[in-house]
Amino acid sequence: MTNSHVPCSSSSTSATNTDAQKRSAIVVVASTRAATGEYEDKTGTVLVNFLRSEGFSTPAPVVVADADIADTVAGILTPADDAPDVLLTTGGTGITPDDLTVEAVAPHITKEMPGVSYAFWARGLESTPTAILSRCVAGIAGSTFVMTLPGSSGAVKDGIAVLSPIVHHIVDLAHRGNG
């Protein structure tokens, strides 16, 4: 994978950034079927649109096969000073053998944020008992906020509902002392 995302601006400190300080984000879709063209993923685009509406410079979603998620995540987060402010993934958080997103992301997280995951699960439980089957993780990798979301549209909407009021605050805190 080519690491072609927008570099992180270490001077980003508020939700009202100027264009020169624009925050960056990347969305990765882990889906072998979408990567091979079997079906068109829609969850990645929903997340990209959310991040753009929040003022993040966000390219089109990166769609990769489940087996390629670890290399993709590593390429996005390394080197750390070129990593985005936010990395959201969709897909690969379930319990089938090819669900590998959590295993790909977790080693990069240096500060876990279980409260974000708990809020996500609680939101999902309002509409479906299967929400707790997601192995969602959230945390900080370097100064990048990372969260893994399931590949369903309902789960992505729940993730957006949880992140919308806090994503800028998380980025502010993750960058504190970096510039």
Side-chain angles (χ1 to χ4, degrees):
M1 180 197 137
T2 306
N3 197 2
S4 61
H5 58 275
V6 180
C8 168
S9 172
S10 62
S11 60
S12 297
T13 57
S14 75
T16 57
N17 293 309
T18 65
D19 286 343
Q21 300 172 320
K22 193 154 190 137
R23 292 175 172 192
S24 62
I26 299 230
V27 173
V28 177
V29 177
S31 170
T32 300
R33 291 184 305 134
T36 60
E38 243 181 89
Y39 85 102
E40 181 183 351
D41 171 78
K42 292 184 176 30
T43 60
T45 302
V46 170
L47 286 169
V48 165
N49 290 339
F50 158 66
L51 289 162
R52 288 177 180 168
S53 76
E54 289 289 328
F56 289 87
S57 175
T58 312
V62 177
V63 181
V64 299
D66 291 288
D68 298 330
I69 188 68
D71 288 341
T72 302
V73 168
I76 291 169
L77 295 176
T78 309
D81 59 347
D82 193 33
D85 297 298
V86 174
L87 170 60
L88 298 180
T89 68
T90 175
T93 64
I95 57 174
T96 67
D98 63 341
D99 287 325
L100 304 171
T101 303
V102 173
E103 289 77 10
V105 169
H108 298 278
I109 293 177
T110 54
K111 294 190 183 288
E112 295 179 13
M113 300 177 68
V116 175
S117 298
Y118 296 151
F120 166 72
W121 290 314
R123 177 73 181 213
L125 280 172
E126 293 174 7
S127 58
T128 179
T130 60
I132 58 172
L133 298 180
S134 164
R135 297 179 306 122
C136 167
V137 295
I140 303 298
S143 60
T144 299
F145 170 68
V146 182
M147 185 170 181
T148 62
L149 294 167
S152 74
S153 59
V156 165
K157 288 176 186 173
D158 291 341
I160 289 170
V162 169
L163 291 176
S164 184
I166 62 172
V167 68
H168 284 285
H169 187 63
I170 291 169
V171 172
D172 288 344
L173 293 174
H175 286 282
R176 192 172 281 174
N178 287 351

